[in-house]
Amino acid sequence: GLSIEGTNDKALASTLSSRLDDARASLRARDSARADAEAKRAVGIQLIATRDFAGAIEVLYGALELDTQSQELNALLDESLTAAEAGMAAQEAGRAEAESHASAAAIALSSKDFAGAIRLYDAAQAVDVNDAALTQNYAVAAAAARESLSRAVSEARSKLAAGDQAAELQDWEAAIGLFSAGLSIEGTNDKALASTLSSRLDDARA
C-alpha cells in the first residue's frame, strides 16, 4: 500500500506506515516466541532424558504459555509435556510403593522381625524411585536390620554354647537358664537353632 504512488493522502500513508510497523513488531515477537519455545522444548527433552521430570514439566509449561502462533510447535510441546508427566507419574508411584515397603519394614523391626524387615527394605531398595539418596537410605536401613539379625543369632548361639558347657558340668540349673535365655532372644529367624535350644532345654530339665 505504501508503494502505490500518487494517492496524495497523508493520513492513509501514515496509517499504512503505522500498520506496517505494528506488523513488523508482531512478526519479530512471534519469531522470538517460537525461538524461545524451541529452546525451552530442547531443555525439556534434555531434562526428561536425565529424569528430572519436575524440571521438564515446569520448562515445558513455560514454553506453552508463549504466543508462538504455531499449532505444529504447540503439538510438539504437548507431546514432550505428556512424556514428562508420564515419567513423573511413574516416579511418584514408585516412591509410594517403596515407602509402603519401608513403613512395613519399620513395623517389622518394632516387633523384632529382622528377617521380615530385611526383605521389605530390600524390596524398597529395588523399586525405581529416581532418587539416589532415598535408595541409599533404604540400603542403610536394610544393613542395620541385617546387623540386628546377625547379633540376635550370635547371642542365641552363645547361650547354646554356654548351656552345653554347663550341661557337661552337670550344672543343670545354669544350663536351663542359659537354654531358656537363648530361646527368649527374639528375631533370630532360625528354626534349627530354636529347635536345638528347645531340645537341650528339655534334656536339661529331664
Side-chain angles (χ1 to χ4, degrees):
L2 282 171
S3 67
I4 298 172
E5 298 177 322
T7 60
N8 194 36
D9 188 330
K10 290 183 178 180
L12 176 58
S14 176
T15 299
L16 284 165
S17 179
S18 176
R19 300 289 171 78
L20 176 60
D21 288 341
D22 290 344
R24 284 171 173 166
S26 295
L27 179 62
R28 287 194 297 271
R30 185 205 68 183
D31 290 346
S32 176
R34 288 182 180 180
D36 193 9
E38 289 282 10
K40 287 181 182 297
R41 177 170 174 264
V43 171
I45 290 172
Q46 180 60 34
L47 289 171
I48 291 171
T50 59
R51 307 187 74 201
D52 181 358
F53 302 118
I57 289 170
E58 181 179 359
V59 168
L60 292 166
Y61 266 120
L64 282 165
E65 290 175 353
L66 297 171
D67 184 15
T68 63
Q69 301 170 32
S70 171
Q71 291 183 349
E72 181 181 358
L73 179 53
N74 284 344
L76 292 172
L77 289 167
D78 279 331
E79 181 182 335
S80 296
L81 179 59
T82 297
E85 290 177 334
M88 174 66 86
Q91 171 184 289
E92 293 307 309
R95 290 181 181 181
E97 180 187 350
E99 181 56 32
S100 175
H101 290 317
S103 295
I107 293 171
L109 276 179
S110 68
S111 62
K112 297 189 182 299
D113 179 8
F114 303 124
I118 291 167
R119 285 193 299 271
L120 287 161
Y121 279 128
D122 282 347
Q125 189 180 350
V127 176
D128 181 6
V129 296
N130 192 28
D131 185 330
L134 188 56
T135 298
Q136 180 61 22
N137 287 342
Y138 296 143
V140 169
R146 284 187 170 86
E147 177 60 27
S148 295
L149 175 61
S150 176
R151 191 162 51 246
V153 170
S154 177
E155 186 177 351
R157 286 176 177 168
S158 175
K159 297 296 184 185
L160 174 62
D164 283 342
Q165 189 173 26
E168 287 178 6
L169 297 173
Q170 297 186 344
D171 185 350
W172 306 117
E173 291 84 356
I176 289 169
L178 288 163
F179 293 139
S180 296
L183 280 171
S184 71
I185 296 170
E186 298 178 307
T188 62
N189 193 45
D190 189 326
K191 291 182 178 179
L193 177 58
S195 178
T196 299
L197 281 163
S198 181
S199 177
R200 298 290 169 79
L201 176 60
D202 289 342
D203 291 343
R205 285 171 173 165

